[in-house]
Amino acid sequence: ATHPVRGFRGVRQARQPYAVSDDGRVCLYDNHADPYQVHNLIDDPSHSALIRKLDAMTMEWLKKAKDPFPLATIRNKRSAQNA
């Protein structure tokens, strides 16, 4: 099932917003070092642990909200592309 509201889902910590678009785009920014969100950190290996944490937090919120947003599918496609 598709969600009636297309767009993105994500979570935000005090410093880092993390978002996943329904078209597969993923972004992570550092609002202290990059307040205009110019440099997407999603492919920076030094942030991999944080990305896993924020992804898990997003998935948990989706489950709690019973939101059918296809995060697992998007995650699997990204894993296959990065393999």
Short mmCIF file of all heavy atoms in Angstrom, two decimals, residues 10-76:
data_model
loop_
_atom_site.label_atom_id
_atom_site.label_comp_id
_atom_site.label_asym_id
_atom_site.label_seq_id
_atom_site.Cartn_x
_atom_site.Cartn_y
_atom_site.Cartn_z
N GLY A 10 11.46 11.01 8.25
CA GLY A 10 12.76 11.06 8.90
C GLY A 10 12.66 11.48 10.35
O GLY A 10 11.56 11.61 10.89
N VAL A 11 13.80 11.66 10.93
CA VAL A 11 13.90 12.09 12.32
C VAL A 11 14.95 13.19 12.40
O VAL A 11 15.78 13.36 11.50
CB VAL A 11 14.28 10.93 13.27
CG1 VAL A 11 13.17 9.90 13.33
CG2 VAL A 11 15.58 10.28 12.86
N ARG A 12 14.92 13.89 13.50
CA ARG A 12 15.87 14.98 13.69
C ARG A 12 16.38 14.95 15.11
O ARG A 12 15.60 14.86 16.05
CB ARG A 12 15.19 16.31 13.40
CG ARG A 12 16.09 17.48 13.57
CD ARG A 12 15.37 18.76 13.19
NE ARG A 12 16.18 19.90 13.53
CZ ARG A 12 16.03 20.63 14.62
NH1 ARG A 12 15.06 20.35 15.46
NH2 ARG A 12 16.82 21.64 14.86
N GLN A 13 17.67 15.00 15.24
CA GLN A 13 18.28 15.21 16.55
C GLN A 13 18.62 16.69 16.63
O GLN A 13 18.42 17.43 15.67
CB GLN A 13 19.52 14.35 16.70
CG GLN A 13 19.21 12.88 16.73
CD GLN A 13 20.42 12.05 17.07
OE1 GLN A 13 21.53 12.34 16.65
NE2 GLN A 13 20.20 11.01 17.85
N ALA A 14 19.14 17.14 17.74
CA ALA A 14 19.46 18.56 17.91
C ALA A 14 20.36 19.07 16.80
O ALA A 14 20.23 20.19 16.34
CB ALA A 14 20.10 18.79 19.27
N ARG A 15 21.26 18.21 16.35
CA ARG A 15 22.25 18.64 15.37
C ARG A 15 22.03 18.09 13.96
O ARG A 15 22.37 18.74 12.99
CB ARG A 15 23.63 18.21 15.90
CG ARG A 15 24.77 18.70 15.07
CD ARG A 15 26.09 18.40 15.74
NE ARG A 15 27.16 18.91 14.92
CZ ARG A 15 28.31 19.32 15.37
NH1 ARG A 15 28.56 19.27 16.67
NH2 ARG A 15 29.23 19.76 14.56
N GLN A 16 21.50 16.86 13.87
CA GLN A 16 21.45 16.18 12.57
C GLN A 16 20.03 15.82 12.16
O GLN A 16 19.40 14.97 12.79
CB GLN A 16 22.27 14.89 12.60
CG GLN A 16 23.71 15.07 12.87
CD GLN A 16 24.07 14.78 14.32
OE1 GLN A 16 23.21 14.67 15.18
NE2 GLN A 16 25.34 14.68 14.59
N PRO A 17 19.53 16.40 11.06
CA PRO A 17 18.29 15.89 10.48
C PRO A 17 18.62 14.77 9.49
O PRO A 17 19.63 14.82 8.79
CB PRO A 17 17.72 17.10 9.75
CG PRO A 17 18.91 17.94 9.41
CD PRO A 17 19.93 17.67 10.49
N TYR A 18 17.78 13.76 9.48
CA TYR A 18 17.93 12.60 8.60
C TYR A 18 16.59 12.40 7.91
O TYR A 18 15.54 12.36 8.58
CB TYR A 18 18.29 11.37 9.44
CG TYR A 18 18.25 10.06 8.69
CD1 TYR A 18 19.31 9.67 7.90
CD2 TYR A 18 17.16 9.22 8.80
CE1 TYR A 18 19.29 8.45 7.22
CE2 TYR A 18 17.11 8.01 8.13
CZ TYR A 18 18.18 7.63 7.34
OH TYR A 18 18.15 6.44 6.68
N ALA A 19 16.59 12.31 6.60
CA ALA A 19 15.33 12.15 5.88
C ALA A 19 15.51 11.19 4.71
O ALA A 19 16.56 11.13 4.09
CB ALA A 19 14.84 13.49 5.36
N VAL A 20 14.43 10.46 4.44
CA VAL A 20 14.37 9.53 3.32
C VAL A 20 13.17 9.92 2.47
O VAL A 20 12.06 10.02 2.97
CB VAL A 20 14.22 8.07 3.81
CG1 VAL A 20 14.16 7.11 2.63
CG2 VAL A 20 15.32 7.69 4.77
N SER A 21 13.42 10.12 1.18
CA SER A 21 12.36 10.47 0.25
C SER A 21 11.74 9.21 -0.32
O SER A 21 12.41 8.18 -0.45
CB SER A 21 12.94 11.32 -0.89
OG SER A 21 11.99 11.52 -1.89
N ASP A 22 10.47 9.29 -0.69
CA ASP A 22 9.82 8.11 -1.26
C ASP A 22 10.38 7.73 -2.63
O ASP A 22 10.13 6.65 -3.13
CB ASP A 22 8.31 8.27 -1.31
CG ASP A 22 7.83 9.43 -2.16
OD1 ASP A 22 8.67 10.14 -2.74
OD2 ASP A 22 6.62 9.64 -2.23
N ASP A 23 11.20 8.60 -3.22
CA ASP A 23 11.85 8.24 -4.48
C ASP A 23 13.26 7.68 -4.26
O ASP A 23 14.00 7.44 -5.20
CB ASP A 23 11.88 9.42 -5.46
CG ASP A 23 12.76 10.57 -4.99
OD1 ASP A 23 13.46 10.44 -3.96
OD2 ASP A 23 12.74 11.62 -5.65
N GLY A 24 13.62 7.46 -2.98
CA GLY A 24 14.88 6.81 -2.65
C GLY A 24 16.01 7.73 -2.22
O GLY A 24 17.06 7.26 -1.80
N ARG A 25 15.83 9.02 -2.33
CA ARG A 25 16.89 9.94 -1.89
C ARG A 25 16.97 9.92 -0.36
O ARG A 25 15.95 9.87 0.32
CB ARG A 25 16.63 11.35 -2.38
CG ARG A 25 16.80 11.50 -3.87
CD ARG A 25 16.43 12.88 -4.35
NE ARG A 25 14.99 13.06 -4.15
CZ ARG A 25 14.41 14.20 -3.80
NH1 ARG A 25 15.14 15.28 -3.60
NH2 ARG A 25 13.11 14.27 -3.65
N VAL A 26 18.19 9.97 0.15
CA VAL A 26 18.41 9.96 1.59
C VAL A 26 19.36 11.11 1.90
O VAL A 26 20.31 11.37 1.16
CB VAL A 26 19.04 8.62 2.06
CG1 VAL A 26 19.20 8.60 3.56
CG2 VAL A 26 18.19 7.45 1.59
N CYS A 27 19.10 11.81 2.99
CA CYS A 27 20.00 12.90 3.34
C CYS A 27 20.24 12.96 4.83
O CYS A 27 19.41 12.57 5.65
CB CYS A 27 19.47 14.24 2.81
SG CYS A 27 17.87 14.70 3.45
N LEU A 28 21.44 13.42 5.15
CA LEU A 28 21.87 13.65 6.52
C LEU A 28 22.70 14.92 6.50
O LEU A 28 23.62 15.05 5.68
CB LEU A 28 22.73 12.48 7.02
CG LEU A 28 23.41 12.70 8.37
CD1 LEU A 28 22.38 12.69 9.51
CD2 LEU A 28 24.47 11.65 8.62
N TYR A 29 22.38 15.84 7.37
CA TYR A 29 23.12 17.10 7.45
C TYR A 29 23.57 17.34 8.88
O TYR A 29 23.00 16.81 9.82
CB TYR A 29 22.25 18.27 6.98
CG TYR A 29 21.84 18.17 5.55
CD1 TYR A 29 20.56 17.76 5.20
CD2 TYR A 29 22.74 18.46 4.53
CE1 TYR A 29 20.19 17.66 3.87
CE2 TYR A 29 22.37 18.35 3.20
CZ TYR A 29 21.10 17.95 2.89
OH TYR A 29 20.74 17.84 1.57
N ASP A 30 24.59 18.16 9.01
CA ASP A 30 25.07 18.61 10.31
C ASP A 30 24.71 20.10 10.40
O ASP A 30 25.37 20.94 9.78
CB ASP A 30 26.59 18.42 10.42
CG ASP A 30 27.14 18.86 11.76
OD1 ASP A 30 26.54 19.75 12.41
OD2 ASP A 30 28.18 18.33 12.16
N ASN A 31 23.66 20.41 11.12
CA ASN A 31 23.17 21.78 11.17
C ASN A 31 24.11 22.75 11.88
O ASN A 31 23.97 23.96 11.69
CB ASN A 31 21.79 21.84 11.82
CG ASN A 31 20.71 21.36 10.89
OD1 ASN A 31 20.89 21.32 9.68
ND2 ASN A 31 19.58 20.98 11.44
N HIS A 32 25.05 22.26 12.66
CA HIS A 32 26.02 23.16 13.29
C HIS A 32 27.11 23.54 12.29
O HIS A 32 27.43 24.71 12.13
CB HIS A 32 26.64 22.51 14.52
CG HIS A 32 25.68 22.36 15.65
ND1 HIS A 32 26.06 21.90 16.88
CD2 HIS A 32 24.35 22.61 15.77
CE1 HIS A 32 25.00 21.86 17.68
NE2 HIS A 32 23.96 22.29 17.01
N ALA A 33 27.67 22.55 11.63
CA ALA A 33 28.76 22.79 10.68
C ALA A 33 28.25 23.28 9.32
O ALA A 33 28.98 23.94 8.59
CB ALA A 33 29.58 21.51 10.48
N ASP A 34 26.99 22.97 9.00
CA ASP A 34 26.43 23.27 7.69
C ASP A 34 24.97 23.73 7.85
O ASP A 34 24.03 23.02 7.49
CB ASP A 34 26.50 22.00 6.82
CG ASP A 34 25.98 22.17 5.42
OD1 ASP A 34 25.88 23.31 4.93
OD2 ASP A 34 25.66 21.13 4.80
N PRO A 35 24.77 24.93 8.40
CA PRO A 35 23.40 25.37 8.71
C PRO A 35 22.50 25.54 7.49
O PRO A 35 21.27 25.53 7.62
CB PRO A 35 23.60 26.70 9.45
CG PRO A 35 24.94 27.17 9.03
CD PRO A 35 25.76 25.93 8.77
N TYR A 36 23.07 25.67 6.31
CA TYR A 36 22.26 25.81 5.09
C TYR A 36 22.03 24.47 4.40
O TYR A 36 21.46 24.44 3.30
CB TYR A 36 22.90 26.82 4.14
CG TYR A 36 22.97 28.19 4.75
CD1 TYR A 36 24.19 28.71 5.18
CD2 TYR A 36 21.83 28.96 4.93
CE1 TYR A 36 24.26 29.97 5.77
CE2 TYR A 36 21.89 30.21 5.52
CZ TYR A 36 23.11 30.71 5.94
OH TYR A 36 23.17 31.95 6.52
N GLN A 37 22.46 23.41 5.01
CA GLN A 37 22.28 22.05 4.50
C GLN A 37 22.71 21.92 3.04
O GLN A 37 21.96 21.46 2.18
CB GLN A 37 20.83 21.60 4.70
CG GLN A 37 20.46 21.53 6.16
CD GLN A 37 19.06 21.02 6.40
OE1 GLN A 37 18.24 20.94 5.49
NE2 GLN A 37 18.77 20.67 7.63
N VAL A 38 23.96 22.28 2.80
CA VAL A 38 24.53 22.22 1.46
C VAL A 38 25.24 20.89 1.23
O VAL A 38 25.22 20.35 0.13
CB VAL A 38 25.52 23.39 1.25
CG1 VAL A 38 26.23 23.29 -0.08
CG2 VAL A 38 24.79 24.72 1.38
N HIS A 39 25.85 20.33 2.26
CA HIS A 39 26.68 19.13 2.13
C HIS A 39 25.98 17.92 2.75
O HIS A 39 25.92 17.78 3.96
CB HIS A 39 28.04 19.35 2.81
CG HIS A 39 28.75 20.55 2.28
ND1 HIS A 39 29.31 20.58 1.03
CD2 HIS A 39 28.96 21.77 2.82
CE1 HIS A 39 29.85 21.76 0.82
NE2 HIS A 39 29.65 22.51 1.89
N ASN A 40 25.45 17.07 1.89
CA ASN A 40 24.79 15.85 2.33
C ASN A 40 25.86 14.86 2.80
O ASN A 40 26.78 14.52 2.06
CB ASN A 40 23.98 15.25 1.19
CG ASN A 40 23.11 14.10 1.63
OD1 ASN A 40 23.18 13.64 2.76
ND2 ASN A 40 22.26 13.64 0.72
N LEU A 41 25.74 14.38 4.03
CA LEU A 41 26.74 13.49 4.63
C LEU A 41 26.38 12.02 4.51
O LEU A 41 27.07 11.17 5.07
CB LEU A 41 26.90 13.85 6.12
CG LEU A 41 27.30 15.30 6.40
CD1 LEU A 41 27.24 15.58 7.89
CD2 LEU A 41 28.68 15.58 5.84
N ILE A 42 25.34 11.70 3.76
CA ILE A 42 24.84 10.33 3.73
C ILE A 42 25.87 9.32 3.22
O ILE A 42 25.88 8.17 3.65
CB ILE A 42 23.52 10.23 2.93
CG1 ILE A 42 22.77 8.97 3.31
CG2 ILE A 42 23.76 10.31 1.44
CD1 ILE A 42 22.25 8.97 4.71
N ASP A 43 26.77 9.71 2.35
CA ASP A 43 27.77 8.78 1.82
C ASP A 43 29.12 8.88 2.52
O ASP A 43 30.08 8.24 2.10
CB ASP A 43 27.94 9.00 0.32
CG ASP A 43 26.70 8.62 -0.46
OD1 ASP A 43 26.05 7.61 -0.09
OD2 ASP A 43 26.36 9.33 -1.43
N ASP A 44 29.18 9.64 3.60
CA ASP A 44 30.43 9.79 4.36
C ASP A 44 30.54 8.63 5.35
O ASP A 44 29.73 8.50 6.27
CB ASP A 44 30.40 11.12 5.11
CG ASP A 44 31.66 11.41 5.87
OD1 ASP A 44 32.40 10.45 6.24
OD2 ASP A 44 31.93 12.60 6.12
N PRO A 45 31.52 7.74 5.15
CA PRO A 45 31.64 6.56 6.01
C PRO A 45 31.83 6.88 7.49
O PRO A 45 31.48 6.07 8.35
CB PRO A 45 32.86 5.81 5.47
CG PRO A 45 33.34 6.55 4.29
CD PRO A 45 32.56 7.80 4.12
N SER A 46 32.31 8.06 7.81
CA SER A 46 32.51 8.40 9.22
C SER A 46 31.17 8.61 9.95
O SER A 46 31.15 8.67 11.18
CB SER A 46 33.39 9.65 9.36
OG SER A 46 32.71 10.80 8.89
N HIS A 47 30.08 8.67 9.20
CA HIS A 47 28.76 8.85 9.81
C HIS A 47 27.91 7.58 9.75
O HIS A 47 26.72 7.62 10.05
CB HIS A 47 28.02 10.00 9.12
CG HIS A 47 28.62 11.32 9.37
ND1 HIS A 47 29.63 11.84 8.60
CD2 HIS A 47 28.38 12.24 10.33
CE1 HIS A 47 29.98 13.02 9.07
NE2 HIS A 47 29.24 13.28 10.12
N SER A 48 28.49 6.45 9.39
CA SER A 48 27.71 5.24 9.18
C SER A 48 26.98 4.78 10.44
O SER A 48 25.82 4.35 10.36
CB SER A 48 28.56 4.12 8.61
OG SER A 48 29.61 3.80 9.49
N ALA A 49 27.60 4.87 11.60
CA ALA A 49 26.93 4.45 12.84
C ALA A 49 25.74 5.36 13.14
O ALA A 49 24.67 4.89 13.53
CB ALA A 49 27.91 4.45 14.01
N LEU A 50 25.92 6.66 12.96
CA LEU A 50 24.83 7.60 13.17
C LEU A 50 23.69 7.35 12.18
O LEU A 50 22.51 7.38 12.56
CB LEU A 50 25.34 9.04 13.04
CG LEU A 50 24.27 10.13 13.14
CD1 LEU A 50 23.59 10.12 14.51
CD2 LEU A 50 24.89 11.49 12.85
N ILE A 51 24.02 7.08 10.94
CA ILE A 51 23.00 6.81 9.92
C ILE A 51 22.20 5.57 10.30
O ILE A 51 20.97 5.57 10.21
CB ILE A 51 23.64 6.67 8.53
CG1 ILE A 51 24.18 8.03 8.07
CG2 ILE A 51 22.66 6.09 7.52
CD1 ILE A 51 25.14 7.97 6.90
N ARG A 52 22.86 4.52 10.74
CA ARG A 52 22.14 3.31 11.18
C ARG A 52 21.21 3.63 12.35
O ARG A 52 20.06 3.17 12.38
CB ARG A 52 23.13 2.21 11.56
CG ARG A 52 23.76 1.51 10.37
CD ARG A 52 24.52 0.25 10.76
NE ARG A 52 25.55 0.49 11.75
CZ ARG A 52 26.81 0.86 11.46
NH1 ARG A 52 27.17 1.04 10.20
NH2 ARG A 52 27.69 1.04 12.42
N LYS A 53 21.69 4.42 13.29
CA LYS A 53 20.87 4.80 14.46
C LYS A 53 19.64 5.60 14.03
O LYS A 53 18.52 5.30 14.44
CB LYS A 53 21.71 5.62 15.43
CG LYS A 53 20.93 6.14 16.61
CD LYS A 53 21.81 7.03 17.48
CE LYS A 53 20.99 7.72 18.55
NZ LYS A 53 21.80 8.65 19.34
N LEU A 54 19.83 6.61 13.18
CA LEU A 54 18.72 7.45 12.75
C LEU A 54 17.74 6.68 11.85
O LEU A 54 16.53 6.88 11.92
CB LEU A 54 19.24 8.70 12.05
CG LEU A 54 20.06 9.64 12.93
CD1 LEU A 54 20.64 10.77 12.11
CD2 LEU A 54 19.24 10.17 14.09
N ASP A 55 18.27 5.77 11.04
CA ASP A 55 17.43 4.92 10.22
C ASP A 55 16.55 4.03 11.10
O ASP A 55 15.35 3.89 10.85
CB ASP A 55 18.29 4.09 9.27
CG ASP A 55 17.46 3.32 8.27
OD1 ASP A 55 16.96 3.95 7.33
OD2 ASP A 55 17.31 2.10 8.45
N ALA A 56 17.14 3.45 12.13
CA ALA A 56 16.38 2.61 13.06
C ALA A 56 15.31 3.43 13.79
O ALA A 56 14.19 2.95 13.99
CB ALA A 56 17.31 1.93 14.05
N MET A 57 15.65 4.64 14.18
CA MET A 57 14.68 5.51 14.84
C MET A 57 13.52 5.83 13.89
O MET A 57 12.35 5.82 14.30
CB MET A 57 15.35 6.82 15.29
CG MET A 57 16.29 6.65 16.46
SD MET A 57 17.24 8.15 16.81
CE MET A 57 15.95 9.32 17.25
N THR A 58 13.83 6.08 12.63
CA THR A 58 12.79 6.37 11.64
C THR A 58 11.89 5.16 11.46
O THR A 58 10.65 5.28 11.46
CB THR A 58 13.42 6.77 10.29
OG1 THR A 58 14.27 7.90 10.50
CG2 THR A 58 12.36 7.10 9.26
N MET A 59 12.48 3.99 11.34
CA MET A 59 11.70 2.77 11.18
C MET A 59 10.79 2.54 12.39
O MET A 59 9.62 2.17 12.23
CB MET A 59 12.63 1.57 10.97
CG MET A 59 11.88 0.26 10.71
SD MET A 59 10.88 0.29 9.22
CE MET A 59 12.10 -0.17 8.03
N GLU A 60 11.29 2.79 13.57
CA GLU A 60 10.48 2.62 14.78
C GLU A 60 9.27 3.56 14.78
O GLU A 60 8.16 3.17 15.11
CB GLU A 60 11.34 2.83 16.03
CG GLU A 60 10.64 2.50 17.31
CD GLU A 60 10.20 1.05 17.43
OE1 GLU A 60 10.88 0.16 16.87
OE2 GLU A 60 9.16 0.79 18.07
N TRP A 61 9.49 4.81 14.38
CA TRP A 61 8.38 5.77 14.31
C TRP A 61 7.36 5.34 13.26
O TRP A 61 6.15 5.47 13.48
CB TRP A 61 8.90 7.18 13.99
CG TRP A 61 9.33 7.92 15.21
CD1 TRP A 61 10.60 8.22 15.57
CD2 TRP A 61 8.49 8.44 16.24
NE1 TRP A 61 10.60 8.90 16.77
CE2 TRP A 61 9.31 9.04 17.19
CE3 TRP A 61 7.11 8.45 16.44
CZ2 TRP A 61 8.81 9.65 18.34
CZ3 TRP A 61 6.62 9.06 17.58
CH2 TRP A 61 7.46 9.65 18.51
N LEU A 62 7.83 4.85 12.14
CA LEU A 62 6.91 4.38 11.10
C LEU A 62 6.05 3.23 11.61
O LEU A 62 4.84 3.19 11.37
CB LEU A 62 7.67 3.95 9.85
CG LEU A 62 8.36 5.06 9.07
CD1 LEU A 62 9.23 4.47 7.97
CD2 LEU A 62 7.37 6.05 8.52
N LYS A 63 6.67 2.31 12.35
CA LYS A 63 5.92 1.18 12.92
C LYS A 63 4.88 1.67 13.92
O LYS A 63 3.73 1.24 13.90
CB LYS A 63 6.87 0.19 13.57
CG LYS A 63 7.67 -0.63 12.60
CD LYS A 63 8.60 -1.57 13.32
CE LYS A 63 9.49 -2.32 12.35
NZ LYS A 63 10.47 -3.16 13.06
N LYS A 64 5.30 2.56 14.81
CA LYS A 64 4.37 3.08 15.83
C LYS A 64 3.19 3.80 15.19
O LYS A 64 2.06 3.72 15.67
CB LYS A 64 5.09 4.04 16.78
CG LYS A 64 5.98 3.36 17.78
CD LYS A 64 6.63 4.38 18.69
CE LYS A 64 7.59 3.71 19.64
NZ LYS A 64 8.27 4.69 20.50
N ALA A 65 3.44 4.53 14.12
CA ALA A 65 2.40 5.30 13.44
C ALA A 65 1.62 4.46 12.43
O ALA A 65 0.67 4.96 11.82
CB ALA A 65 3.02 6.50 12.74
N LYS A 66 2.04 3.20 12.25
CA LYS A 66 1.44 2.33 11.22
C LYS A 66 1.47 3.02 9.85
O LYS A 66 0.52 2.96 9.06
CB LYS A 66 0.02 1.93 11.62
CG LYS A 66 -0.03 1.09 12.88
CD LYS A 66 -1.44 0.70 13.21
CE LYS A 66 -1.59 -0.26 14.33
NZ LYS A 66 -0.99 -0.12 15.55
N ASP A 67 2.59 3.66 9.59
CA ASP A 67 2.79 4.38 8.34
C ASP A 67 3.36 3.41 7.30
O ASP A 67 4.41 2.82 7.52
CB ASP A 67 3.77 5.53 8.58
CG ASP A 67 3.96 6.45 7.40
OD1 ASP A 67 3.79 6.00 6.24
OD2 ASP A 67 4.32 7.61 7.61
N PRO A 68 2.70 3.22 6.16
CA PRO A 68 3.19 2.27 5.16
C PRO A 68 4.32 2.80 4.28
O PRO A 68 4.64 2.20 3.26
CB PRO A 68 1.94 2.00 4.32
CG PRO A 68 1.17 3.27 4.39
CD PRO A 68 1.41 3.79 5.80
N PHE A 69 4.94 3.90 4.67
CA PHE A 69 6.07 4.44 3.90
C PHE A 69 7.08 3.32 3.65
O PHE A 69 7.44 2.58 4.57
CB PHE A 69 6.71 5.58 4.69
CG PHE A 69 7.77 6.32 3.93
CD1 PHE A 69 7.43 7.27 2.99
CD2 PHE A 69 9.11 6.06 4.16
CE1 PHE A 69 8.41 7.96 2.29
CE2 PHE A 69 10.09 6.75 3.47
CZ PHE A 69 9.74 7.71 2.53
N PRO A 70 7.58 3.17 2.42
CA PRO A 70 8.41 2.01 2.05
C PRO A 70 9.89 2.12 2.46
O PRO A 70 10.78 1.87 1.66
CB PRO A 70 8.26 1.97 0.53
CG PRO A 70 8.13 3.41 0.15
CD PRO A 70 7.30 4.02 1.26
N LEU A 71 10.16 2.45 3.71
CA LEU A 71 11.55 2.62 4.15
C LEU A 71 12.36 1.34 3.97
O LEU A 71 13.49 1.39 3.51
CB LEU A 71 11.61 3.09 5.60
CG LEU A 71 13.01 3.33 6.15
CD1 LEU A 71 13.72 4.41 5.35
CD2 LEU A 71 12.95 3.72 7.62
N ALA A 72 11.80 0.20 4.31
CA ALA A 72 12.55 -1.06 4.18
C ALA A 72 12.93 -1.32 2.72
O ALA A 72 14.06 -1.73 2.45
CB ALA A 72 11.73 -2.22 4.73
N THR A 73 12.04 -1.06 1.79
CA THR A 73 12.33 -1.24 0.37
C THR A 73 13.43 -0.28 -0.08
O THR A 73 14.37 -0.68 -0.78
CB THR A 73 11.06 -1.01 -0.47
OG1 THR A 73 10.06 -1.92 -0.03
CG2 THR A 73 11.33 -1.21 -1.95
N ILE A 74 13.32 0.97 0.33
CA ILE A 74 14.34 1.96 -0.01
C ILE A 74 15.68 1.57 0.58
O ILE A 74 16.72 1.64 -0.07
CB ILE A 74 13.90 3.36 0.46
CG1 ILE A 74 12.68 3.81 -0.34
CG2 ILE A 74 15.03 4.37 0.33
CD1 ILE A 74 11.95 5.00 0.26
N ARG A 75 15.67 1.12 1.82
CA ARG A 75 16.90 0.69 2.50
C ARG A 75 17.55 -0.47 1.74
O ARG A 75 18.75 -0.48 1.54
CB ARG A 75 16.55 0.27 3.93
CG ARG A 75 17.73 -0.17 4.74
CD ARG A 75 17.31 -0.86 6.00
NE ARG A 75 16.68 0.03 6.95
CZ ARG A 75 15.91 -0.39 7.94
NH1 ARG A 75 15.64 -1.67 8.08
NH2 ARG A 75 15.41 0.45 8.79
N ASN A 76 16.74 -1.44 1.32
CA ASN A 76 17.28 -2.59 0.59
C ASN A 76 17.87 -2.18 -0.75
O ASN A 76 18.91 -2.70 -1.16
CB ASN A 76 16.19 -3.64 0.39
CG ASN A 76 15.80 -4.31 1.68
OD1 ASN A 76 16.54 -4.29 2.67
ND2 ASN A 76 14.61 -4.88 1.71
#
